[in-house]
Amino acid sequence: PEAAKHGDDAAANGSEVTGVVDRSGANARRKENMRGVKRESGKDRDEFPPAVIKTNGKISVRLIDPSDNRGAGSSIGHQLKNQPDGTRVVIKIIPPVK
């Protein structure tokens, strides 16, 4: 829920929700995105959109619960696993069913 809220907030504040899958550039983008964002004990730095998605727009980074961040990353990873680099994607955050 924290990663989804971050994505909603980031999109509402101008972060890109469209981009291209670019695995080879993810590490460099992540390093750039995290520059200047201090670590905090017990938190992960969550980025939106994820570094695996190349955009030309605004990036948001927020400190969130590590298990939430890693779960969201795993979910996106599974959704993109059969998509080759260069695939255009749109990030849609769907609220969980209650």
Side-chain angles (χ1 to χ4, degrees):
E2 286 182 76
K5 175 78 169 119
H6 178 209
D8 279 340
D9 292 347
N13 287 305
S15 289
E16 288 289 330
V17 295
T18 63
V20 176
V21 177
D22 177 31
R23 291 172 182 85
S24 64
N27 287 338
R29 273 190 299 283
R30 183 173 296 107
K31 184 177 179 180
E32 178 63 27
N33 295 345
M34 298 299 174
R35 182 173 291 150
V37 180
K38 295 190 186 260
R39 294 180 185 267
E40 183 178 306
S41 179
K43 297 286 185 177
D44 272 4
R45 295 175 296 174
D46 178 49
E47 57 192 321
F48 186 89
V52 71
I53 300 173
K54 181 180 178 181
T55 70
N56 294 319
K58 184 177 174 182
I59 303 296
S60 175
V61 178
R62 180 182 289 179
L63 297 170
I64 68 170
D65 180 84
S67 63
D68 189 289
N69 186 39
R70 293 167 197 179
S74 176
S75 176
I76 288 176
H78 285 292
Q79 292 173 64
L80 296 177
K81 74 178 177 180
N82 295 320
Q83 302 303 315
D85 282 8
T87 301
R88 280 202 60 73
V89 295
V90 177
I91 303 167
K92 293 184 179 181
I93 300 166
I94 301 169
V97 177
K98 293 184 180 188

